[in-house]
Amino acid sequence: MEFEKTERNKVKRVPSRGHYDKQSVYEILDAGFVCHLGFEVDGQPYVIPTSYGRDGDIIYVHGATKSRLMLNMKKGIPVCLTVTHIDGIVLARSAFHHSMNYRSAIVFGTAREMSEEEKEHGLFMISENILQDRWEESRKPTPNELKATTVLRLEIEQASAKIRTGGPVDEPVDYELPIWAGVVPFETKILSPKPDDRLHEQATMAESVRKLMSNGV
Amino acid sequence: MEFEKTERNKVKRVPSRGHYDKQSVYEILDAGFVCHLGFEVDGQPYVIPTSYGRDGDIIYVHGATKSRLMLNMKKGIPVCLTVTHIDGIVLARSAFHHSMNYRSAIVFGTAREMSEEEKEHGLFMISENILQDRWEESRKPTPNELKATTVLRLEIEQASAKIRTGGPVDEPVDYELPIWAGVVPFETKILSPKPDDRLHEQATMAESVRKLMSNGV
Protein backbone atom coordinates (compact mmCIF):
# COMPACT_ATOMS: atom_id res chain seq x y z
CA MET A 1 0.00 0.00 0.00
CA GLU A 2 1.36 3.38 -0.99
CA PHE A 3 0.55 6.96 -0.01
CA GLU A 4 -0.50 9.13 -2.91
CA LYS A 5 2.48 11.02 -4.33
CA THR A 6 1.79 14.70 -4.93
CA GLU A 7 3.74 17.94 -5.15
CA ARG A 8 3.39 18.22 -1.38
CA ASN A 9 5.02 14.98 -0.24
CA LYS A 10 7.34 14.24 -3.17
CA VAL A 11 10.96 13.84 -2.07
CA LYS A 12 12.78 16.26 -4.36
CA ARG A 13 16.32 16.18 -3.09
CA VAL A 14 17.98 12.75 -3.67
CA PRO A 15 14.69 11.15 -4.80
CA SER A 16 16.26 7.67 -4.50
CA ARG A 17 16.05 8.10 -0.71
CA GLY A 18 12.28 8.69 -0.87
CA HIS A 19 9.73 6.02 0.04
CA TYR A 20 5.97 6.25 -0.25
CA ASP A 21 4.91 2.78 0.86
CA LYS A 22 2.91 2.80 4.05
CA GLN A 23 5.12 0.19 5.71
CA SER A 24 8.23 2.42 5.52
CA VAL A 25 6.34 5.41 6.90
CA TYR A 26 4.70 3.36 9.69
CA GLU A 27 8.02 1.83 10.78
CA ILE A 28 9.64 5.24 11.22
CA LEU A 29 6.62 6.62 13.06
CA ASP A 30 6.38 3.58 15.33
CA ALA A 31 10.10 3.67 16.18
CA GLY A 32 9.69 7.10 17.81
CA PHE A 33 7.44 8.80 20.32
CA VAL A 34 8.28 12.49 19.93
CA CYS A 35 7.38 14.28 16.72
CA HIS A 36 7.86 17.86 15.58
CA LEU A 37 4.52 19.34 14.68
CA GLY A 38 4.39 22.32 12.36
CA PHE A 39 1.49 24.71 11.92
CA GLU A 40 1.04 28.31 10.99
CA VAL A 41 -0.71 31.16 12.78
CA ASP A 42 -1.05 34.56 11.07
CA GLY A 43 1.82 33.85 8.69
CA GLN A 44 4.18 32.68 11.44
CA PRO A 45 5.22 29.01 11.43
CA TYR A 46 5.58 27.17 14.74
CA VAL A 47 7.36 23.85 15.28
CA ILE A 48 6.52 22.16 18.58
CA PRO A 49 7.89 18.87 19.92
CA THR A 50 5.15 16.61 21.24
CA SER A 51 4.37 12.95 21.80
CA TYR A 52 2.04 11.01 19.54
CA GLY A 53 0.42 7.65 18.87
CA ARG A 54 -0.64 5.92 15.66
CA ASP A 55 -3.58 3.70 14.77
CA GLY A 56 -3.53 2.84 11.06
CA ASP A 57 -3.58 6.11 9.15
CA ILE A 58 -4.67 8.12 12.18
CA ILE A 59 -2.15 9.93 14.35
CA TYR A 60 -3.12 11.22 17.79
CA VAL A 61 -1.53 14.14 19.60
CA HIS A 62 -2.62 15.74 22.84
CA GLY A 63 -1.99 18.81 24.90
CA ALA A 64 -3.39 21.11 27.52
CA THR A 65 -6.73 22.48 26.36
CA LYS A 66 -5.36 26.00 26.76
CA SER A 67 -2.02 25.54 24.96
CA ARG A 68 -1.27 27.51 21.77
CA LEU A 69 -0.81 24.25 19.89
CA MET A 70 -4.26 22.98 20.82
CA LEU A 71 -6.14 26.27 20.55
CA ASN A 72 -4.89 26.69 16.99
CA MET A 73 -4.80 23.14 15.80
CA LYS A 74 -8.35 22.29 16.74
CA LYS A 75 -9.57 24.86 14.24
CA GLY A 76 -8.84 22.27 11.58
CA ILE A 77 -5.72 23.85 10.10
CA PRO A 78 -3.22 22.01 7.87
CA VAL A 79 -0.30 20.55 9.79
CA CYS A 80 2.97 18.80 9.02
CA LEU A 81 4.17 16.16 11.45
CA THR A 82 7.78 15.00 11.22
CA VAL A 83 9.58 12.16 13.01
CA THR A 84 13.35 11.83 12.63
CA HIS A 85 15.84 9.23 13.80
CA ILE A 86 19.55 10.02 13.44
CA ASP A 87 21.51 6.79 13.00
CA GLY A 88 24.99 8.17 12.43
CA ILE A 89 27.34 10.78 11.03
CA VAL A 90 28.75 9.92 7.62
CA LEU A 91 32.31 11.19 7.21
CA ALA A 92 33.47 11.56 3.63
CA ARG A 93 36.94 12.55 2.47
CA SER A 94 35.52 15.81 1.08
CA ALA A 95 33.64 18.32 3.24
CA PHE A 96 30.96 18.46 0.52
CA HIS A 97 30.03 14.78 0.73
CA HIS A 98 29.61 14.60 4.49
CA SER A 99 26.15 13.36 5.36
CA MET A 100 24.05 11.61 7.96
CA ASN A 101 22.37 8.29 8.17
CA TYR A 102 18.79 8.91 9.16
CA ARG A 103 15.19 7.80 8.85
CA SER A 104 12.55 10.50 8.69
CA ALA A 105 8.84 10.46 8.04
CA ILE A 106 6.88 13.53 7.04
CA VAL A 107 3.11 13.43 7.35
CA PHE A 108 0.60 15.95 6.03
CA GLY A 109 -2.92 16.18 7.34
CA THR A 110 -5.56 18.21 9.07
CA ALA A 111 -6.07 18.00 12.81
CA ARG A 112 -9.58 17.51 14.22
CA GLU A 113 -10.56 17.74 17.86
CA MET A 114 -11.82 14.49 19.39
CA SER A 115 -15.07 14.43 21.34
CA GLU A 116 -15.18 13.72 25.08
CA GLU A 117 -16.25 10.16 24.31
CA GLU A 118 -13.49 9.44 21.80
CA LYS A 119 -10.64 11.17 23.66
CA GLU A 120 -9.63 8.31 25.88
CA HIS A 121 -8.83 6.11 22.89
CA GLY A 122 -6.44 8.76 21.55
CA LEU A 123 -4.72 9.09 24.92
CA PHE A 124 -4.43 5.32 25.19
CA MET A 125 -2.75 5.13 21.77
CA ILE A 126 -0.27 7.91 22.70
CA SER A 127 0.52 6.20 26.00
CA GLU A 128 1.02 2.82 24.28
CA ASN A 129 3.40 4.39 21.78
CA ILE A 130 5.53 5.90 24.53
CA LEU A 131 5.54 2.85 26.78
CA GLN A 132 3.52 -0.22 25.99
CA ASP A 133 1.24 -1.53 28.78
CA ARG A 134 1.83 1.52 30.98
CA TRP A 135 -1.76 2.73 30.52
CA GLU A 136 -3.08 -0.43 32.16
CA GLU A 137 -0.73 -0.03 35.13
CA SER A 138 -1.70 3.62 35.75
CA ARG A 139 -4.56 5.29 37.55
CA LYS A 140 -6.93 6.20 34.68
CA PRO A 141 -7.96 9.81 33.90
CA THR A 142 -10.87 11.35 35.78
CA PRO A 143 -13.56 13.29 33.86
CA ASN A 144 -11.89 16.55 34.96
CA GLU A 145 -8.49 15.40 33.76
CA LEU A 146 -10.00 14.46 30.42
CA LYS A 147 -11.63 17.87 30.20
CA ALA A 148 -8.26 19.58 30.74
CA THR A 149 -6.77 17.64 27.85
CA THR A 150 -7.43 18.25 24.18
CA VAL A 151 -6.82 15.28 21.91
CA LEU A 152 -6.44 15.75 18.19
CA ARG A 153 -6.92 13.19 15.49
CA LEU A 154 -4.92 13.68 12.35
CA GLU A 155 -5.71 11.50 9.38
CA ILE A 156 -2.65 11.02 7.17
CA GLU A 157 -3.52 12.63 3.85
CA GLN A 158 -0.06 12.24 2.37
CA ALA A 159 3.23 11.05 3.73
CA SER A 160 6.73 10.17 2.70
CA ALA A 161 9.75 8.58 4.27
CA LYS A 162 13.36 9.49 3.58
CA ILE A 163 16.10 7.06 4.51
CA ARG A 164 19.86 7.12 4.16
CA THR A 165 22.04 4.18 5.14
CA GLY A 166 25.59 3.06 4.42
CA GLY A 167 28.98 4.67 4.07
CA PRO A 168 30.22 7.85 2.41
CA VAL A 169 30.20 8.32 -1.34
CA ASP A 170 33.13 10.47 -2.48
CA GLU A 171 34.23 11.83 -5.83
CA PRO A 172 36.36 9.19 -7.65
CA VAL A 173 39.64 11.16 -7.33
CA ASP A 174 39.15 11.71 -3.60
CA TYR A 175 39.57 7.99 -2.83
CA GLU A 176 43.30 8.59 -3.33
CA LEU A 177 43.35 10.92 -0.30
CA PRO A 178 44.69 9.47 2.96
CA ILE A 179 41.77 10.95 4.92
CA TRP A 180 39.85 8.72 7.32
CA ALA A 181 36.28 8.17 6.12
CA GLY A 182 33.44 6.08 7.46
CA VAL A 183 30.39 6.16 9.69
CA VAL A 184 30.07 7.03 13.38
CA PRO A 185 26.84 5.26 14.41
CA PHE A 186 24.56 6.46 17.20
CA GLU A 187 21.92 4.74 19.22
CA THR A 188 19.56 5.69 22.00
CA LYS A 189 20.50 3.94 25.21
CA ILE A 190 18.09 3.43 28.08
CA LEU A 191 19.75 3.97 31.46
CA SER A 192 18.72 2.44 34.77
CA PRO A 193 15.23 3.52 35.86
CA LYS A 194 15.27 5.94 38.77
CA PRO A 195 12.44 5.23 41.26
CA ASP A 196 10.50 8.19 42.63
CA ASP A 197 11.52 9.30 46.15
CA ARG A 198 7.98 8.84 47.39
CA LEU A 199 7.43 5.36 46.00
CA HIS A 200 4.81 3.32 47.89
CA GLU A 201 6.45 0.52 49.86
CA GLN A 202 4.41 -2.10 48.00
CA ALA A 203 5.19 -0.70 44.54
CA THR A 204 7.32 -3.17 42.63
CA MET A 205 9.14 -2.40 39.37
CA ALA A 206 6.59 -1.84 36.59
CA GLU A 207 6.31 -4.64 34.05
CA SER A 208 6.19 -2.03 31.27
CA VAL A 209 9.60 -0.71 32.30
CA ARG A 210 11.04 -4.17 32.71
CA LYS A 211 9.94 -4.98 29.15
CA LEU A 212 11.39 -1.73 27.78
CA MET A 213 14.73 -2.45 29.45
CA SER A 214 14.98 -5.87 27.84
CA ASN A 215 13.63 -4.93 24.38
CA GLY A 216 15.02 -1.40 23.95
CA VAL A 217 13.21 1.64 22.59
CA MET B 1 21.36 38.52 28.34
CA GLU B 2 17.78 37.70 27.51
CA PHE B 3 15.81 37.30 24.31
CA GLU B 4 12.89 39.69 24.05
CA LYS B 5 9.68 38.05 25.29
CA THR B 6 6.72 38.54 22.96
CA GLU B 7 3.48 36.81 22.11
CA ARG B 8 5.42 34.70 19.61
CA ASN B 9 8.01 33.09 21.89
CA LYS B 10 6.27 33.18 25.27
CA VAL B 11 5.99 29.72 26.86
CA LYS B 12 2.28 29.50 27.63
CA ARG B 13 1.90 25.97 28.91
CA VAL B 14 3.69 25.41 32.25
CA PRO B 15 5.39 28.84 32.10
CA SER B 16 7.74 27.84 34.94
CA ARG B 17 9.53 25.61 32.42
CA GLY B 18 10.20 28.55 30.10
CA HIS B 19 13.59 30.27 29.86
CA TYR B 20 14.49 33.34 27.84
CA ASP B 21 18.11 33.87 28.79
CA LYS B 22 20.50 33.44 25.88
CA GLN B 23 22.69 30.98 27.77
CA SER B 24 19.85 28.44 28.18
CA VAL B 25 18.90 28.71 24.51
CA TYR B 26 22.52 28.48 23.32
CA GLU B 27 23.24 25.41 25.46
CA ILE B 28 20.32 23.49 23.98
CA LEU B 29 21.22 24.53 20.43
CA ASP B 30 24.88 23.64 20.91
CA ALA B 31 24.08 20.23 22.39
CA GLY B 32 22.44 19.13 19.12
CA PHE B 33 23.21 19.13 15.43
CA VAL B 34 19.86 18.31 13.81
CA CYS B 35 17.02 20.82 14.02
CA HIS B 36 13.47 20.77 12.71
CA LEU B 37 12.92 23.73 10.48
CA GLY B 38 9.38 24.95 9.87
CA PHE B 39 8.22 27.19 7.05
CA GLU B 40 5.05 27.71 5.11
CA VAL B 41 4.40 27.64 1.38
CA ASP B 42 0.95 28.56 0.04
CA GLY B 43 -0.71 27.92 3.39
CA GLN B 44 0.92 24.51 3.85
CA PRO B 45 3.42 24.13 6.70
CA TYR B 46 6.54 21.99 6.15
CA VAL B 47 8.82 20.64 8.88
CA ILE B 48 12.21 19.44 7.61
CA PRO B 49 15.04 17.91 9.66
CA THR B 50 18.39 19.45 8.82
CA SER B 51 21.79 20.14 10.34
CA TYR B 52 22.82 23.57 11.57
CA GLY B 53 25.57 25.62 13.15
CA ARG B 54 25.52 28.64 15.46
CA ASP B 55 27.70 31.71 15.77
CA GLY B 56 26.36 34.10 18.40
CA ASP B 57 22.79 34.94 17.44
CA ILE B 58 23.23 33.68 13.88
CA ILE B 59 22.17 30.17 12.89
CA TYR B 60 23.36 28.64 9.62
CA VAL B 61 21.56 25.94 7.64
CA HIS B 62 22.45 24.60 4.23
CA GLY B 63 20.99 22.50 1.51
CA ALA B 64 21.06 21.69 -2.16
CA THR B 65 20.44 24.83 -4.18
CA LYS B 66 17.47 23.14 -5.84
CA SER B 67 15.79 21.72 -2.73
CA ARG B 68 12.30 22.90 -1.74
CA LEU B 69 13.63 24.07 1.60
CA MET B 70 16.25 26.32 0.01
CA LEU B 71 14.16 27.56 -2.91
CA ASN B 72 11.51 28.77 -0.49
CA MET B 73 13.58 29.83 2.44
CA LYS B 74 15.90 32.10 0.52
CA LYS B 75 12.92 34.30 -0.34
CA GLY B 76 13.26 35.66 3.17
CA ILE B 77 10.22 34.00 4.72
CA PRO B 78 9.64 33.66 8.48
CA VAL B 79 10.87 30.37 9.88
CA CYS B 80 10.75 28.50 13.16
CA LEU B 81 13.74 26.36 14.10
CA THR B 82 13.35 23.84 16.91
CA VAL B 83 15.94 21.64 18.62
CA THR B 84 14.78 19.00 21.10
CA HIS B 85 16.63 16.63 23.39
CA ILE B 86 14.62 13.90 25.11
CA ASP B 87 16.24 12.98 28.43
CA GLY B 88 13.75 10.50 29.80
CA ILE B 89 10.21 9.25 30.23
CA VAL B 90 8.56 10.37 33.46
CA LEU B 91 6.20 7.72 34.83
CA ALA B 92 3.61 9.01 37.25
CA ARG B 93 1.07 6.94 39.17
CA SER B 94 -1.74 8.52 37.16
CA ALA B 95 -1.91 8.38 33.36
CA PHE B 96 -2.63 12.12 33.35
CA HIS B 97 0.64 13.13 35.03
CA HIS B 98 2.95 11.15 32.77
CA SER B 99 5.51 13.41 31.19
CA MET B 100 8.95 13.60 29.67
CA ASN B 101 12.18 15.17 30.70
CA TYR B 102 13.39 17.27 27.82
CA ARG B 103 15.25 20.37 26.73
CA SER B 104 13.91 22.21 23.71
CA ALA B 105 14.81 25.51 22.10
CA ILE B 106 12.50 27.31 19.69
CA VAL B 107 13.96 30.04 17.53
CA PHE B 108 12.12 32.55 15.34
CA GLY B 109 13.79 34.42 12.55
CA THR B 110 14.00 35.16 8.88
CA ALA B 111 16.35 33.27 6.61
CA ARG B 112 18.63 35.17 4.20
CA GLU B 113 20.75 33.63 1.50
CA MET B 114 24.51 34.02 1.97
CA SER B 115 26.67 35.35 -0.87
CA GLU B 116 29.28 33.16 -2.60
CA GLU B 117 31.98 34.85 -0.52
CA GLU B 118 30.27 34.36 2.84
CA LYS B 119 29.02 30.83 2.25
CA GLU B 120 32.11 28.97 3.32
CA HIS B 121 31.95 30.44 6.82
CA GLY B 122 28.40 29.13 7.21
CA LEU B 123 29.40 25.66 6.05
CA PHE B 124 32.38 25.70 8.39
CA MET B 125 30.12 26.54 11.36
CA ILE B 126 27.68 23.74 10.45
CA SER B 127 30.55 21.28 10.07
CA GLU B 128 32.07 22.33 13.41
CA ASN B 129 28.72 21.86 15.13
CA ILE B 130 28.35 18.33 13.80
CA LEU B 131 31.94 17.26 14.44
CA GLN B 132 34.54 19.67 15.71
CA ASP B 133 37.81 19.84 13.71
CA ARG B 134 36.45 17.68 10.88
CA TRP B 135 36.44 20.62 8.44
CA GLU B 136 40.21 20.97 8.76
CA GLU B 137 40.72 17.24 8.12
CA SER B 138 38.55 17.22 4.97
CA ARG B 139 39.16 18.13 1.36
CA LYS B 140 37.65 21.65 1.13
CA PRO B 141 34.75 22.52 -1.22
CA THR B 142 35.52 23.44 -4.83
CA PRO B 143 33.85 26.50 -6.41
CA ASN B 144 31.37 24.16 -8.15
CA GLU B 145 30.52 22.39 -4.92
CA LEU B 146 29.95 25.74 -3.25
CA LYS B 147 27.70 26.77 -6.14
CA ALA B 148 25.58 23.64 -5.70
CA THR B 149 25.02 24.49 -2.03
CA THR B 150 22.76 27.22 -0.68
CA VAL B 151 23.63 28.49 2.77
CA LEU B 152 21.14 30.46 4.78
CA ARG B 153 21.81 32.78 7.64
CA LEU B 154 19.10 33.14 10.20
CA GLU B 155 19.41 35.84 12.79
CA ILE B 156 17.61 34.90 16.00
CA GLU B 157 14.82 37.46 16.40
CA GLN B 158 13.20 35.74 19.34
CA ALA B 159 13.80 32.46 21.11
CA SER B 160 12.78 30.49 24.14
CA ALA B 161 13.90 27.34 25.89
CA LYS B 162 11.67 24.88 27.66
CA ILE B 163 13.18 22.46 30.12
CA ARG B 164 11.72 19.74 32.31
CA THR B 165 13.82 17.78 34.78
CA GLY B 166 13.15 15.59 37.81
CA GLY B 167 10.64 12.98 38.86
CA PRO B 168 6.86 12.71 38.48
CA VAL B 169 4.46 15.01 40.30
CA ASP B 170 1.24 13.20 41.20
CA GLU B 171 -2.00 14.27 42.84
CA PRO B 172 -1.64 14.04 46.66
CA VAL B 173 -4.06 11.10 47.03
CA ASP B 174 -2.29 9.09 44.32
CA TYR B 175 0.86 8.69 46.43
CA GLU B 176 -1.09 6.06 48.35
CA LEU B 177 -1.25 3.86 45.24
CA PRO B 178 1.23 0.97 45.02
CA ILE B 179 2.10 1.85 41.41
CA TRP B 180 5.75 2.10 40.39
CA ALA B 181 6.68 5.67 39.48
CA GLY B 182 9.94 7.28 38.48
CA VAL B 183 12.05 8.23 35.50
CA VAL B 184 13.50 6.10 32.72
CA PRO B 185 16.49 8.16 31.48
CA PHE B 186 17.80 8.06 27.92
CA GLU B 187 21.09 9.02 26.43
CA THR B 188 22.61 9.02 22.97
CA LYS B 189 25.39 6.48 22.74
CA ILE B 190 28.14 6.64 20.14
CA LEU B 191 29.00 3.20 18.79
CA SER B 192 32.33 2.11 17.33
CA PRO B 193 33.21 4.02 14.15
CA LYS B 194 32.92 1.91 11.00
CA PRO B 195 35.72 2.65 8.51
CA ASP B 196 34.80 2.97 4.84
CA ASP B 197 35.52 -0.14 2.72
CA ARG B 198 37.68 1.88 0.38
CA LEU B 199 39.82 3.58 3.03
CA HIS B 200 43.26 4.65 1.82
CA GLU B 201 45.98 2.46 3.34
CA GLN B 202 47.65 5.50 4.91
CA ALA B 203 44.44 6.89 6.41
CA THR B 204 44.63 6.70 10.18
CA MET B 205 41.68 7.24 12.53
CA ALA B 206 40.55 10.87 12.37
CA GLU B 207 41.44 12.96 15.40
CA SER B 208 37.94 14.52 15.29
CA VAL B 209 36.36 11.08 15.74
CA ARG B 210 38.81 10.09 18.43
CA LYS B 211 37.85 13.24 20.35
CA LEU B 212 34.13 12.61 19.87
CA MET B 213 34.51 9.07 21.20
CA SER B 214 36.20 10.27 24.37
CA ASN B 215 34.03 13.35 24.99
CA GLY B 216 30.62 12.12 23.81
CA VAL B 217 28.09 14.04 21.70
Side-chain angles (χ1 to χ4, degrees), chain A residues 94-108:
Chain A
S94 58
F96 184 73
H97 284 294
H98 276 65
S99 188
M100 278 182 210
N101 283 336
Y102 60 88
R103 292 161 289 143
S104 70
I106 299 193
V107 166
F108 298 100

Side-chain angles (χ1 to χ4, degrees), chain B residues 117-155:
Chain B
E117 296 69 44
E118 298 172 313
K119 256 182 195 181
E120 201 158 332
H121 175 67
L123 293 175
F124 169 74
M125 294 306 296
I126 297 169
S127 178
E128 287 290 287
N129 191 39
I130 298 172
L131 183 55
Q132 215 188 338
D133 300 339
R134 181 60 184 172
W135 183 267
E136 256 326 292
E137 296 168 354
S138 311
R139 194 266 290 155
K140 304 297 170 301
T142 63
N144 275 342
E145 287 174 342
L146 282 177
K147 208 165 287 172
T149 311
T150 294
V151 185
L152 301 174
R153 176 187 191 285
L154 189 126
E155 185 164 354

Side-chain angles (χ1 to χ4, degrees), chain A residues 120 123-124 127-128 131 133-138 140-141, chain B residues 95:
Chain A
E120 199 156 336
L123 293 174
F124 170 74
S127 178
E128 286 290 287
L131 183 55
D133 300 340
R134 181 61 185 173
W135 184 266
E136 256 325 293
E137 295 168 355
S138 312
K140 304 295 170 300

Side-chain angles (χ1 to χ4, degrees), chain A residues 11-70:
Chain A
V11 173
K12 298 197 177 170
R13 184 59 199 156
V14 200
S16 59
R17 293 184 193 160
H19 301 265
Y20 303 91
D21 61 291
K22 294 196 169 189
Q23 201 50 43
S24 296
V25 172
Y26 291 166
E27 277 174 20
I28 293 168
L29 293 176
D30 296 351
F33 55 84
V34 173
C35 65
H36 282 81
L37 200 54
F39 59 98
E40 185 247 308
V41 182
D42 298 332
Q44 174 63 54
Y46 290 87
V47 176
I48 309 278
T50 191
S51 55
Y52 64 94
R54 185 185 70 83
D55 192 357
D57 279 345
I58 307 292
I59 296 180
Y60 301 99
V61 294
H62 75 308
T65 299
K66 288 175 183 165
S67 69
R68 171 158 41 200
L69 178 65
M70 292 299 137

